[in-house]
Amino acid sequence: PGPLDLLLGRLAVDRGLLSRAQVDAALRIQQGESPSAPLGVVMVEAGFLSHAQVESLLAVQLVGADDPRVAERRSSWRLGAVAVQLERATAAQVNVALREQAGREEAGQTWLPLGEILVRHGVLNADDLPALLLERDLVKVLEEFTAS
């Protein structure tokens, strides 16, 4: 599967667990009411999926983690999490940027790194990006260390 095939909403639709309309509704809820909540949590709270179904979809995402394109996307997600944690961006701003990133790829446009999108949106300053990227890389090393 390609990186976009591993997005939680797409996985749910492809497996017949949700309709595209339900995914869109969950994304609207996430964007409006719960911008810091992961999409899987929003889907459970909205009654669209069970916890077990979300866990199953997350397991499918992990299987695709060996794909270098997926690793690149995970790096973007990690940068978004670091930016929110360090209060350089809000979860809503990161989610908008991640949706733009996925939409660009889905439309066949050039994939852009999350940091570049956040700078284009005026969320991050280009001068702050190197420090955030370093922090992201440290988080990755810590994740790999604790997983082994």
Side-chain angles (χ1 to χ4, degrees):
L4 284 176
D5 297 331
L6 295 173
L7 292 172
L8 193 67
R10 174 153 306 169
L11 286 171
V13 170
D14 289 350
R15 284 164 173 66
L17 298 172
L18 295 178
S19 67
R20 182 65 208 176
Q22 288 172 307
V23 171
D24 290 342
L27 289 169
R28 281 192 303 277
I29 292 168
Q30 183 188 43
Q31 188 172 16
E33 299 170 23
S34 305
S36 62
L39 185 59
V41 170
V42 172
M43 290 174 169
V44 169
E45 289 178 354
F48 295 146
L49 294 175
S50 69
H51 286 284
Q53 288 170 316
V54 170
E55 287 174 12
S56 173
L57 293 172
L58 293 174
V60 171
Q61 283 183 320
L62 287 176
V63 170
D66 293 335
D67 182 328
R69 296 169 301 167
V70 172
E72 190 172 58
R73 276 43 171 197
R74 286 196 186 285
S75 179
S76 279
W77 302 332
R78 194 176 291 113
L79 176 65
V82 167
V84 170
Q85 184 178 17
L86 295 178
E87 298 180 353
R88 300 293 178 89
T90 66
Q93 291 168 321
V94 169
N95 284 331
V96 166
L98 287 169
R99 284 190 200 106
E100 178 182 327
Q101 187 183 56
R104 288 182 58 81
E105 188 170 15
E106 196 168 61
Q109 298 173 341
T110 303
W111 182 85
L112 294 176
L114 183 66
E116 184 175 332
I117 295 171
L118 290 170
V119 168
R120 285 182 177 193
H121 286 212
V123 174
L124 295 179
N125 182 320
D127 295 336
D128 296 333
L129 201 50
L132 282 174
L133 293 171
L134 178 61
E135 185 74 24
R136 176 210 58 197
D137 293 343
L138 290 173
V139 168
K140 180 181 181 213
V141 168
L142 287 173
E143 287 174 356
E144 290 171 353
F145 179 74
T146 57
S148 58

Short mmCIF file of all heavy atoms in Angstrom, two decimals, residues 36-100:
data_model
loop_
_atom_site.label_atom_id
_atom_site.label_comp_id
_atom_site.label_asym_id
_atom_site.label_seq_id
_atom_site.Cartn_x
_atom_site.Cartn_y
_atom_site.Cartn_z
N SER A 36 -7.32 18.52 19.25
CA SER A 36 -6.14 17.84 19.76
C SER A 36 -6.33 16.33 19.87
O SER A 36 -5.39 15.60 20.16
CB SER A 36 -5.75 18.41 21.12
OG SER A 36 -6.79 18.20 22.05
N ALA A 37 -7.55 15.85 19.62
CA ALA A 37 -7.83 14.42 19.74
C ALA A 37 -7.41 13.68 18.48
O ALA A 37 -7.68 14.14 17.38
CB ALA A 37 -9.31 14.19 20.00
N PRO A 38 -6.77 12.52 18.62
CA PRO A 38 -6.47 11.70 17.44
C PRO A 38 -7.78 11.29 16.76
O PRO A 38 -8.82 11.13 17.41
CB PRO A 38 -5.75 10.49 18.02
CG PRO A 38 -5.26 10.93 19.36
CD PRO A 38 -6.25 11.94 19.85
N LEU A 39 -7.72 11.10 15.46
CA LEU A 39 -8.91 10.77 14.70
C LEU A 39 -9.57 9.49 15.21
O LEU A 39 -10.80 9.41 15.28
CB LEU A 39 -8.58 10.64 13.20
CG LEU A 39 -9.79 10.42 12.29
CD1 LEU A 39 -10.80 11.55 12.42
CD2 LEU A 39 -9.32 10.28 10.85
N GLY A 40 -8.78 8.50 15.59
CA GLY A 40 -9.35 7.26 16.10
C GLY A 40 -10.20 7.49 17.34
O GLY A 40 -11.29 6.91 17.48
N VAL A 41 -9.76 8.36 18.22
CA VAL A 41 -10.52 8.69 19.43
C VAL A 41 -11.84 9.37 19.05
O VAL A 41 -12.90 9.04 19.58
CB VAL A 41 -9.68 9.59 20.38
CG1 VAL A 41 -10.53 10.12 21.52
CG2 VAL A 41 -8.48 8.82 20.91
N VAL A 42 -11.77 10.29 18.11
CA VAL A 42 -12.97 10.98 17.65
C VAL A 42 -13.96 9.98 17.06
O VAL A 42 -15.16 10.04 17.34
CB VAL A 42 -12.62 12.08 16.62
CG1 VAL A 42 -13.88 12.67 16.00
CG2 VAL A 42 -11.77 13.17 17.26
N MET A 43 -13.46 9.03 16.27
CA MET A 43 -14.34 8.04 15.65
C MET A 43 -15.03 7.16 16.70
O MET A 43 -16.21 6.82 16.55
CB MET A 43 -13.55 7.18 14.67
CG MET A 43 -13.12 7.93 13.43
SD MET A 43 -12.04 6.90 12.41
CE MET A 43 -11.98 7.87 10.91
N VAL A 44 -14.31 6.82 17.75
CA VAL A 44 -14.91 6.01 18.83
C VAL A 44 -15.94 6.85 19.59
O VAL A 44 -17.06 6.40 19.84
CB VAL A 44 -13.82 5.46 19.79
CG1 VAL A 44 -14.45 4.85 21.03
CG2 VAL A 44 -12.97 4.43 19.06
N GLU A 45 -15.56 8.07 19.96
CA GLU A 45 -16.47 8.92 20.73
C GLU A 45 -17.73 9.27 19.94
O GLU A 45 -18.80 9.46 20.53
CB GLU A 45 -15.76 10.20 21.18
CG GLU A 45 -14.73 9.92 22.26
CD GLU A 45 -13.96 11.15 22.70
OE1 GLU A 45 -14.12 12.24 22.08
OE2 GLU A 45 -13.18 11.03 23.65
N ALA A 46 -17.62 9.34 18.61
CA ALA A 46 -18.79 9.62 17.77
C ALA A 46 -19.64 8.38 17.56
O ALA A 46 -20.72 8.45 16.99
CB ALA A 46 -18.34 10.19 16.42
N GLY A 47 -19.14 7.23 18.00
CA GLY A 47 -19.88 5.99 17.85
C GLY A 47 -19.72 5.34 16.48
O GLY A 47 -20.46 4.41 16.13
N PHE A 48 -18.75 5.81 15.71
CA PHE A 48 -18.53 5.27 14.37
C PHE A 48 -17.77 3.94 14.40
O PHE A 48 -17.99 3.08 13.57
CB PHE A 48 -17.78 6.26 13.48
CG PHE A 48 -18.52 7.52 13.18
CD1 PHE A 48 -17.84 8.72 13.04
CD2 PHE A 48 -19.90 7.54 13.03
CE1 PHE A 48 -18.51 9.90 12.75
CE2 PHE A 48 -20.59 8.71 12.74
CZ PHE A 48 -19.88 9.90 12.60
N LEU A 49 -16.83 3.82 15.34
CA LEU A 49 -16.00 2.62 15.45
C LEU A 49 -15.88 2.22 16.92
O LEU A 49 -16.02 3.06 17.81
CB LEU A 49 -14.59 2.86 14.90
CG LEU A 49 -14.42 3.12 13.41
CD1 LEU A 49 -12.97 3.45 13.09
CD2 LEU A 49 -14.88 1.93 12.59
N SER A 50 -15.57 0.95 17.13
CA SER A 50 -15.27 0.48 18.49
C SER A 50 -13.78 0.65 18.75
O SER A 50 -12.99 0.84 17.81
CB SER A 50 -15.65 -0.99 18.63
OG SER A 50 -14.77 -1.79 17.85
N HIS A 51 -13.40 0.55 20.01
CA HIS A 51 -11.98 0.60 20.35
C HIS A 51 -11.22 -0.51 19.62
O HIS A 51 -10.12 -0.29 19.10
CB HIS A 51 -11.76 0.46 21.86
CG HIS A 51 -12.13 1.68 22.63
ND1 HIS A 51 -11.36 2.81 22.66
CD2 HIS A 51 -13.22 1.97 23.40
CE1 HIS A 51 -11.93 3.73 23.41
NE2 HIS A 51 -13.08 3.25 23.87
N ALA A 52 -11.81 -1.70 19.58
CA ALA A 52 -11.15 -2.84 18.93
C ALA A 52 -10.94 -2.57 17.44
O ALA A 52 -9.90 -2.93 16.89
CB ALA A 52 -11.98 -4.10 19.13
N GLN A 53 -11.91 -1.94 16.81
CA GLN A 53 -11.76 -1.64 15.38
C GLN A 53 -10.64 -0.63 15.14
O GLN A 53 -9.86 -0.79 14.21
CB GLN A 53 -13.08 -1.12 14.80
CG GLN A 53 -14.14 -2.19 14.67
CD GLN A 53 -15.50 -1.62 14.33
OE1 GLN A 53 -15.92 -0.60 14.90
NE2 GLN A 53 -16.19 -2.27 13.39
N VAL A 54 -10.55 0.38 15.99
CA VAL A 54 -9.47 1.36 15.85
C VAL A 54 -8.12 0.69 16.08
O VAL A 54 -7.17 0.92 15.33
CB VAL A 54 -9.68 2.56 16.81
CG1 VAL A 54 -8.44 3.46 16.84
CG2 VAL A 54 -10.90 3.36 16.39
N GLU A 55 -8.03 -0.15 17.10
CA GLU A 55 -6.77 -0.86 17.36
C GLU A 55 -6.37 -1.72 16.16
O GLU A 55 -5.19 -1.79 15.81
CB GLU A 55 -6.90 -1.71 18.62
CG GLU A 55 -6.91 -0.88 19.89
CD GLU A 55 -7.17 -1.71 21.14
OE1 GLU A 55 -7.12 -2.95 21.06
OE2 GLU A 55 -7.43 -1.09 22.19
N SER A 56 -7.35 -2.35 15.53
CA SER A 56 -7.06 -3.17 14.35
C SER A 56 -6.53 -2.30 13.21
O SER A 56 -5.56 -2.68 12.53
CB SER A 56 -8.34 -3.90 13.92
OG SER A 56 -8.15 -4.57 12.71
N LEU A 57 -7.13 -1.15 13.01
CA LEU A 57 -6.67 -0.24 11.95
C LEU A 57 -5.27 0.29 12.26
O LEU A 57 -4.43 0.41 11.35
CB LEU A 57 -7.65 0.93 11.78
CG LEU A 57 -9.03 0.56 11.25
CD1 LEU A 57 -9.96 1.76 11.32
CD2 LEU A 57 -8.95 0.02 9.83
N LEU A 58 -5.00 0.59 13.52
CA LEU A 58 -3.67 1.07 13.89
C LEU A 58 -2.62 -0.02 13.67
O LEU A 58 -1.49 0.27 13.28
CB LEU A 58 -3.67 1.54 15.35
CG LEU A 58 -4.49 2.79 15.63
CD1 LEU A 58 -4.55 3.08 17.12
CD2 LEU A 58 -3.97 3.99 14.86
N ALA A 59 -3.00 -1.28 13.89
CA ALA A 59 -2.08 -2.39 13.64
C ALA A 59 -1.75 -2.47 12.15
O ALA A 59 -0.60 -2.72 11.77
CB ALA A 59 -2.68 -3.70 14.12
N VAL A 60 -2.74 -2.22 11.30
CA VAL A 60 -2.49 -2.22 9.85
C VAL A 60 -1.53 -1.10 9.50
O VAL A 60 -0.63 -1.28 8.67
CB VAL A 60 -3.82 -2.08 9.07
CG1 VAL A 60 -3.56 -1.85 7.59
CG2 VAL A 60 -4.70 -3.31 9.28
N GLN A 61 -1.68 0.05 10.13
CA GLN A 61 -0.76 1.16 9.88
C GLN A 61 0.67 0.76 10.24
O GLN A 61 1.61 1.10 9.51
CB GLN A 61 -1.15 2.39 10.70
CG GLN A 61 -2.32 3.16 10.16
CD GLN A 61 -2.59 4.40 10.97
OE1 GLN A 61 -2.51 4.38 12.19
NE2 GLN A 61 -2.93 5.48 10.31
N LEU A 62 0.84 0.07 11.34
CA LEU A 62 2.19 -0.33 11.77
C LEU A 62 2.83 -1.29 10.78
O LEU A 62 4.04 -1.23 10.57
CB LEU A 62 2.13 -0.96 13.16
CG LEU A 62 1.90 0.01 14.30
CD1 LEU A 62 1.77 -0.74 15.61
CD2 LEU A 62 3.01 1.04 14.38
N VAL A 63 2.05 -2.16 10.18
CA VAL A 63 2.60 -3.11 9.21
C VAL A 63 3.22 -2.36 8.04
O VAL A 63 4.26 -2.75 7.52
CB VAL A 63 1.51 -4.09 8.72
CG1 VAL A 63 1.99 -4.91 7.54
CG2 VAL A 63 1.08 -5.00 9.86
N GLY A 64 2.61 -1.25 7.66
CA GLY A 64 3.13 -0.47 6.54
C GLY A 64 4.30 0.42 6.91
O GLY A 64 4.83 1.13 6.07
N ALA A 65 4.72 0.37 8.16
CA ALA A 65 5.77 1.28 8.63
C ALA A 65 7.11 1.03 7.97
O ALA A 65 7.98 1.88 8.00
CB ALA A 65 5.91 1.18 10.14
N ASP A 66 7.32 -0.14 7.36
CA ASP A 66 8.60 -0.42 6.71
C ASP A 66 8.73 0.26 5.36
O ASP A 66 9.83 0.37 4.82
CB ASP A 66 8.78 -1.94 6.53
CG ASP A 66 8.94 -2.64 7.87
OD1 ASP A 66 9.37 -1.98 8.83
OD2 ASP A 66 8.62 -3.83 7.94
N ASP A 67 7.64 0.71 4.78
CA ASP A 67 7.66 1.42 3.50
C ASP A 67 8.37 2.76 3.73
O ASP A 67 7.97 3.53 4.61
CB ASP A 67 6.22 1.63 3.04
CG ASP A 67 6.12 2.32 1.69
OD1 ASP A 67 6.98 3.17 1.37
OD2 ASP A 67 5.15 2.03 0.97
N PRO A 68 9.42 3.08 2.96
CA PRO A 68 10.15 4.34 3.19
C PRO A 68 9.24 5.57 3.06
O PRO A 68 9.44 6.56 3.74
CB PRO A 68 11.24 4.36 2.12
CG PRO A 68 11.14 3.10 1.38
CD PRO A 68 10.01 2.29 1.89
N ARG A 69 8.22 5.49 2.18
CA ARG A 69 7.31 6.62 2.05
C ARG A 69 6.48 6.79 3.32
O ARG A 69 6.20 7.90 3.74
CB ARG A 69 6.40 6.43 0.84
CG ARG A 69 7.18 6.43 -0.48
CD ARG A 69 6.31 5.98 -1.61
NE ARG A 69 5.82 4.64 -1.31
CZ ARG A 69 4.83 4.05 -1.98
NH1 ARG A 69 4.23 4.67 -2.95
NH2 ARG A 69 4.45 2.83 -1.66
N VAL A 70 6.12 5.68 3.95
CA VAL A 70 5.36 5.75 5.18
C VAL A 70 6.25 6.31 6.30
O VAL A 70 5.81 7.12 7.10
CB VAL A 70 4.79 4.36 5.57
CG1 VAL A 70 4.16 4.40 6.95
CG2 VAL A 70 3.79 3.90 4.53
N ALA A 71 7.50 5.90 6.31
CA ALA A 71 8.44 6.42 7.31
C ALA A 71 8.57 7.94 7.17
O ALA A 71 8.63 8.66 8.18
CB ALA A 71 9.80 5.74 7.17
N GLU A 72 8.58 8.41 5.94
CA GLU A 72 8.67 9.85 5.69
C GLU A 72 7.44 10.56 6.25
O GLU A 72 7.53 11.63 6.85
CB GLU A 72 8.79 10.09 4.18
CG GLU A 72 9.12 11.49 3.79
CD GLU A 72 9.41 11.58 2.30
OE1 GLU A 72 8.53 11.21 1.50
OE2 GLU A 72 10.50 12.03 1.95
N ARG A 73 6.28 9.96 6.06
CA ARG A 73 5.04 10.55 6.58
C ARG A 73 5.02 10.51 8.10
O ARG A 73 4.60 11.46 8.74
CB ARG A 73 3.82 9.80 6.04
CG ARG A 73 3.33 10.23 4.66
CD ARG A 73 4.41 10.43 3.70
NE ARG A 73 3.98 10.65 2.33
CZ ARG A 73 4.81 10.52 1.32
NH1 ARG A 73 6.06 10.18 1.51
NH2 ARG A 73 4.40 10.75 0.10
N ARG A 74 5.49 9.41 8.68
CA ARG A 74 5.54 9.33 10.14
C ARG A 74 6.45 10.42 10.70
O ARG A 74 6.20 10.97 11.77
CB ARG A 74 6.04 7.96 10.59
CG ARG A 74 5.01 6.89 10.42
CD ARG A 74 5.40 5.66 11.23
NE ARG A 74 4.49 4.57 10.95
CZ ARG A 74 3.23 4.51 11.41
NH1 ARG A 74 2.77 5.45 12.16
NH2 ARG A 74 2.47 3.49 11.11
N SER A 75 7.49 10.73 9.97
CA SER A 75 8.39 11.80 10.37
C SER A 75 7.63 13.13 10.42
O SER A 75 7.82 13.93 11.34
CB SER A 75 9.56 11.87 9.39
OG SER A 75 10.43 12.90 9.74
N SER A 76 6.73 13.35 9.46
CA SER A 76 5.90 14.55 9.46
C SER A 76 4.98 14.56 10.67
O SER A 76 4.82 15.57 11.35
CB SER A 76 5.06 14.65 8.19
OG SER A 76 5.82 15.15 7.13
N TRP A 77 4.35 13.42 10.94
CA TRP A 77 3.44 13.35 12.08
C TRP A 77 4.19 13.63 13.37
O TRP A 77 3.69 14.31 14.26
CB TRP A 77 2.75 11.98 12.13
CG TRP A 77 1.99 11.64 10.90
CD1 TRP A 77 1.41 12.50 10.01
CD2 TRP A 77 1.74 10.33 10.38
NE1 TRP A 77 0.81 11.81 8.98
CE2 TRP A 77 1.00 10.48 9.18
CE3 TRP A 77 2.07 9.05 10.81
CZ2 TRP A 77 0.59 9.40 8.42
CZ3 TRP A 77 1.65 7.98 10.05
CH2 TRP A 77 0.91 8.16 8.87
N ARG A 78 5.40 13.10 13.46
CA ARG A 78 6.22 13.29 14.66
C ARG A 78 6.57 14.78 14.80
O ARG A 78 6.53 15.33 15.90
CB ARG A 78 7.47 12.43 14.56
CG ARG A 78 8.22 12.28 15.86
CD ARG A 78 9.42 11.35 15.72
NE ARG A 78 9.00 9.96 15.51
CZ ARG A 78 9.22 9.27 14.39
NH1 ARG A 78 9.83 9.82 13.37
NH2 ARG A 78 8.82 8.03 14.28
N LEU A 79 6.92 15.44 13.69
CA LEU A 79 7.22 16.87 13.74
C LEU A 79 6.00 17.64 14.22
O LEU A 79 6.12 18.55 15.04
CB LEU A 79 7.66 17.39 12.37
CG LEU A 79 7.91 18.89 12.30
CD1 LEU A 79 9.08 19.29 13.18
CD2 LEU A 79 8.13 19.34 10.88
N GLY A 80 4.83 17.26 13.75
CA GLY A 80 3.61 17.93 14.20
C GLY A 80 3.41 17.77 15.69
O GLY A 80 3.06 18.74 16.39
N ALA A 81 3.63 16.57 16.20
CA ALA A 81 3.47 16.33 17.64
C ALA A 81 4.46 17.16 18.44
O ALA A 81 4.11 17.73 19.49
CB ALA A 81 3.66 14.84 17.94
N VAL A 82 5.70 17.26 17.97
CA VAL A 82 6.72 18.06 18.66
C VAL A 82 6.34 19.53 18.63
O VAL A 82 6.45 20.23 19.65
CB VAL A 82 8.12 17.82 18.02
CG1 VAL A 82 9.12 18.86 18.50
CG2 VAL A 82 8.60 16.41 18.34
N ALA A 83 5.86 20.02 17.49
CA ALA A 83 5.48 21.43 17.39
C ALA A 83 4.35 21.76 18.37
O ALA A 83 4.35 22.82 19.00
CB ALA A 83 5.06 21.76 15.95
N VAL A 84 3.40 20.85 18.52
CA VAL A 84 2.30 21.06 19.46
C VAL A 84 2.83 21.00 20.89
O VAL A 84 2.50 21.86 21.72
CB VAL A 84 1.17 20.04 19.24
CG1 VAL A 84 0.14 20.08 20.37
CG2 VAL A 84 0.51 20.27 17.88
N GLN A 85 3.65 20.00 21.18
CA GLN A 85 4.18 19.84 22.53
C GLN A 85 4.99 21.06 22.96
O GLN A 85 4.92 21.49 24.11
CB GLN A 85 5.04 18.58 22.61
CG GLN A 85 5.55 18.28 23.99
CD GLN A 85 6.37 17.00 24.04
OE1 GLN A 85 6.81 16.50 23.01
NE2 GLN A 85 6.56 16.49 25.23
N LEU A 86 5.76 21.63 22.04
CA LEU A 86 6.57 22.80 22.36
C LEU A 86 5.80 24.11 22.19
O LEU A 86 6.38 25.19 22.26
CB LEU A 86 7.83 22.81 21.48
CG LEU A 86 8.80 21.67 21.72
CD1 LEU A 86 9.98 21.76 20.76
CD2 LEU A 86 9.29 21.66 23.17
N GLU A 87 4.49 23.98 21.92
CA GLU A 87 3.59 25.12 21.77
C GLU A 87 4.02 26.07 20.64
O GLU A 87 3.85 27.28 20.73
CB GLU A 87 3.43 25.87 23.09
CG GLU A 87 2.82 25.00 24.17
CD GLU A 87 2.64 25.70 25.50
OE1 GLU A 87 3.11 26.85 25.67
OE2 GLU A 87 2.01 25.10 26.39
N ARG A 88 4.56 25.50 19.59
CA ARG A 88 4.90 26.28 18.38
C ARG A 88 3.74 26.26 17.39
O ARG A 88 3.71 27.04 16.46
CB ARG A 88 6.15 25.72 17.71
CG ARG A 88 7.38 25.73 18.57
CD ARG A 88 7.81 27.18 18.84
NE ARG A 88 8.96 27.23 19.71
CZ ARG A 88 10.22 27.21 19.29
NH1 ARG A 88 10.49 27.14 18.02
NH2 ARG A 88 11.19 27.27 20.17
N ALA A 89 2.81 25.30 17.59
CA ALA A 89 1.63 25.17 16.74
C ALA A 89 0.53 24.54 17.58
O ALA A 89 0.82 23.88 18.58
CB ALA A 89 1.93 24.29 15.53
N THR A 90 -0.70 24.74 17.16
CA THR A 90 -1.81 24.07 17.83
C THR A 90 -2.08 22.75 17.11
O THR A 90 -1.68 22.57 15.95
CB THR A 90 -3.08 24.92 17.81
OG1 THR A 90 -3.53 25.05 16.45
CG2 THR A 90 -2.85 26.30 18.43
N ALA A 91 -2.77 21.87 17.79
CA ALA A 91 -3.14 20.60 17.15
C ALA A 91 -4.00 20.86 15.92
O ALA A 91 -3.87 20.18 14.90
CB ALA A 91 -3.86 19.70 18.14
N ALA A 92 -4.87 21.85 16.00
CA ALA A 92 -5.73 22.17 14.85
C ALA A 92 -4.89 22.63 13.66
O ALA A 92 -5.15 22.22 12.51
CB ALA A 92 -6.74 23.25 15.23
N GLN A 93 -3.88 23.45 13.90
CA GLN A 93 -3.01 23.92 12.81
C GLN A 93 -2.25 22.75 12.17
O GLN A 93 -2.12 22.68 10.95
CB GLN A 93 -2.02 24.97 13.32
CG GLN A 93 -2.68 26.27 13.70
CD GLN A 93 -1.74 27.19 14.46
OE1 GLN A 93 -0.94 26.75 15.30
NE2 GLN A 93 -1.83 28.49 14.17
N VAL A 94 -1.76 21.85 13.01
CA VAL A 94 -1.04 20.68 12.48
C VAL A 94 -1.98 19.79 11.69
O VAL A 94 -1.64 19.31 10.61
CB VAL A 94 -0.35 19.91 13.63
CG1 VAL A 94 0.18 18.56 13.14
CG2 VAL A 94 0.77 20.74 14.23
N ASN A 95 -3.20 19.58 12.20
CA ASN A 95 -4.16 18.75 11.48
C ASN A 95 -4.51 19.33 10.12
O ASN A 95 -4.62 18.61 9.13
CB ASN A 95 -5.43 18.53 12.33
CG ASN A 95 -5.21 17.52 13.43
OD1 ASN A 95 -4.40 16.63 13.30
ND2 ASN A 95 -5.93 17.68 14.52
N VAL A 96 -4.68 20.65 10.06
CA VAL A 96 -4.97 21.30 8.77
C VAL A 96 -3.81 21.06 7.80
O VAL A 96 -4.00 20.72 6.63
CB VAL A 96 -5.24 22.81 8.97
CG1 VAL A 96 -5.19 23.55 7.64
CG2 VAL A 96 -6.58 23.02 9.65
N ALA A 97 -2.59 21.22 8.30
CA ALA A 97 -1.40 21.03 7.45
C ALA A 97 -1.27 19.57 7.00
O ALA A 97 -0.94 19.30 5.84
CB ALA A 97 -0.15 21.48 8.18
N LEU A 98 -1.55 18.63 7.90
CA LEU A 98 -1.48 17.21 7.53
C LEU A 98 -2.53 16.86 6.48
O LEU A 98 -2.27 16.10 5.54
CB LEU A 98 -1.64 16.31 8.75
CG LEU A 98 -0.45 16.26 9.70
CD1 LEU A 98 -0.83 15.58 11.00
CD2 LEU A 98 0.74 15.56 9.04
N ARG A 99 -3.72 17.45 6.62
CA ARG A 99 -4.77 17.22 5.62
C ARG A 99 -4.35 17.79 4.27
O ARG A 99 -4.60 17.20 3.23
CB ARG A 99 -6.09 17.80 6.08
CG ARG A 99 -6.75 16.97 7.13
CD ARG A 99 -8.19 17.44 7.42
NE ARG A 99 -8.56 16.94 8.71
CZ ARG A 99 -8.67 17.67 9.81
NH1 ARG A 99 -8.48 18.96 9.76
NH2 ARG A 99 -8.99 17.12 10.96
N GLU A 100 -3.74 18.98 4.30
CA GLU A 100 -3.26 19.57 3.05
C GLU A 100 -2.19 18.67 2.42
O GLU A 100 -2.20 18.42 1.20
CB GLU A 100 -2.68 20.96 3.28
CG GLU A 100 -2.13 21.58 1.99
CD GLU A 100 -1.50 22.94 2.20
OE1 GLU A 100 -1.97 23.70 3.07
OE2 GLU A 100 -0.54 23.24 1.47
#
